Amino acid sequence: MLESNIHTVRTDLKTLMKDAQELFAEAAAASGGKAEELRAKGMKLLDNAIDGAHHLQQAAVEKGKKIAHDTDTYVHEHPWRAIGISAAVGVLVGMLIARR
């Protein structure tokens, strides 16, 4: 579910940024009240993009905290298994480095 939310927010942000760029380009070509109206609309789109990025960041931080907590719990419940897994990963990384 989180992956689909992240994908949706990312797509929305790309769309918002593209729309804002088009508005600013159009505003640069326009003059007077029309330009101000387009600039205001562009600023609103950018504010929406910033809000979306903020929500995406919050979701990533929450997910990271949950993963860290779950890992900490697992290591405390199975310390020898965690040591074995760490040693195996260390050996594999060492072998990969030695091959180069």
Side-chain angles (χ1 to χ4, degrees):
M1 181 175 161
L2 181 62
E3 295 297 323
S4 66
N5 288 345
I6 290 172
H7 179 69
T8 302
V9 171
R10 186 177 299 152
T11 303
D12 289 348
L13 286 175
K14 286 180 182 178
T15 303
L16 283 170
M17 294 301 288
K18 182 180 173 192
D19 291 347
Q21 288 173 341
E22 290 172 1
L23 280 172
F24 284 128
E26 190 177 333
S31 62
K34 178 74 173 173
E36 285 302 317
E37 179 184 330
L38 291 171
R39 284 188 189 104
K41 192 173 180 182
M43 290 305 292
K44 184 178 179 182
L45 284 172
L46 288 175
D47 287 341
N48 289 341
I50 289 170
D51 288 342
H54 180 70
H55 291 301
L56 183 63
Q57 180 185 14
Q58 282 180 327
V61 167
E62 289 174 13
K63 176 101 173 163
K65 285 181 180 180
K66 183 181 181 332
I67 290 171
H69 179 265
D70 291 348
T71 302
D72 186 54
T73 301
Y74 179 83
V75 169
H76 279 90
E77 290 176 359
H78 308 285
W80 289 109
R81 192 176 295 169
I83 290 170
I85 291 170
S86 299
V89 169
V91 167
L92 288 173
V93 170
M95 289 171 48
L96 290 173
I97 291 173
R99 284 180 62 180
R100 294 185 184 232

